[in-house]
Amino acid sequence: MPVRFGRIAARMFLPKKHNPRLAVLLMIVATAFIAATTLFAKALGGDTLGPPLHPFQISHGRFVFAFIAIASAVAATRPQLTRPHWGLHFARTFFGWGGVTLMFASVAFIPLADATAIVFLNPVFGMILAIPLLGEKVGRIRWSAAAIALTGALLLLRPTPESFQIASLLALAAAMIMGVEIIFIKKLSGREAPIQVLLINNFLGVLIASVAVLAVWQMPTAAQWAVLIALGICMALAQACFVNAMARADASFVAPFSYGTLIFATLYDIAFFAQIPDWITLTGAGIILSGGLLLAWREARLRQLP
């Protein structure tokens, strides 16, 4: 089964021709898979499939089964691998693992739409951190985009004694940590082939997650094993679709469609948990989306400048 899956997935990592329409479709499919991972994490963190699993164990399953899928694709394609920068890979993976784990912890207690919207602040934190860490200059438009997005997040935190949800802080912390990950992704950009980056990222993720899970490991039920496997495969497919989308069109054109994750998270909330988004969720998510799109537009303009 892994080899057969690897052969299918391998085709997705081969060089592609420029095709913006297909790029958009692939990005939308990727967002559906990404939202599905949070859906599975919410199910695993609850008691519907058995005793709730710790977020460390959920993220461990995500990395283990995603690595098996990516490794199968590598075995099928046998791409030429170069010498990796292990320090950058480890830093990127460590913060990525931390962000994913906090994200999985938050969705066990708050709606998928709320958690997803808050985590979409990670580009904002990445922009802010790029000032001291990468020496980047930030103008008024980018600061305005950050302020807009942070306003939306503040609304989603529901900062009143009656409605404040402490689990929302977990999603906010996830966004901050993923913002740090973005710094290391920028440092890795262009150094190595995407499939090599994905392979090493998931391999190191397995090592980090395996150490973290030792203290909280419990035997999953049969249903939980199935969902853990599905979570890992969905993440591998999401990464494959994302890489393909970026390869078929300019990043500035296709990246904004990644916000489709929020739409799918909302639909999953309604379909599987009967959680209808209230006006706070819709307004806060809309504000974050506006800020994120403004930031994406400004980043695209900056890349076009000589």
Side-chain angles (χ1 to χ4, degrees), residues 1-9 68-73 75-76:
M1 177 65 179
V3 174
R4 183 179 180 185
F5 173 82
R7 289 173 180 169
I8 296 173
I68 292 173
I70 297 295
S72 299

Side-chain angles (χ1 to χ4, degrees), residues 50-253:
L53 296 184
H54 193 280
F56 282 171
Q57 189 162 357
I58 299 173
S59 62
H60 177 260
R62 169 257 182 269
F63 278 104
V64 167
F65 294 110
F67 172 70
I68 292 173
I70 297 295
S72 299
V74 170
T77 56
R78 297 183 181 180
Q80 183 177 358
L81 303 180
T82 58
R83 184 176 180 180
H85 192 301
W86 288 106
L88 289 179
H89 277 291
F90 181 83
R92 178 263 171 104
T93 303
F94 178 78
F95 286 106
W97 163 80
V100 166
T101 302
L102 287 171
M103 171 68 167
F104 288 167
S106 69
V107 298
F109 303 102
I110 62 177
L112 296 179
D114 284 20
T116 302
I118 293 172
V119 170
F120 267 131
L121 288 172
N122 69 85
V124 173
F125 290 118
M127 180 205 77
I128 295 172
L129 291 169
I131 299 173
L133 298 179
L134 299 179
E136 292 186 2
K137 295 181 179 180
V138 178
R140 286 177 295 177
I141 295 179
R142 295 165 82 189
W143 276 121
S144 298
I148 291 171
L150 289 171
T151 300
L154 181 62
L155 186 61
L156 284 178
L157 290 176
R158 295 169 165 82
T160 65
E162 296 79 17
S163 60
F164 177 70
Q165 301 179 87
I166 193 169
S168 297
L169 296 178
L170 295 174
L172 186 61
M176 292 179 180
I177 292 175
M178 289 179 179
V180 180
E181 181 191 16
I182 287 175
I183 300 300
F184 292 103
I185 290 176
K186 288 186 176 182
K187 288 179 175 289
L188 273 171
S189 178
R191 286 174 175 262
E192 302 168 29
I195 192 170
Q196 176 172 315
V197 173
L198 292 179
L199 178 68
I200 294 174
N201 169 244
N202 285 281
F203 169 69
L204 292 177
V206 170
L207 298 182
I208 295 170
S210 295
V211 173
V213 79
L214 289 176
V216 297
W217 171 266
Q218 66 185 57
M219 179 59 68
T221 64
Q224 287 172 333
W225 274 120
V227 174
L228 284 169
I229 293 171
L231 192 158
I233 291 177
C234 277
M235 182 53 69
L237 290 173
Q239 291 174 326
C241 289
F242 184 88
V243 168
N244 261 261
M246 290 298 185
R248 292 175 185 270
D250 294 336
S252 59
F253 169 75

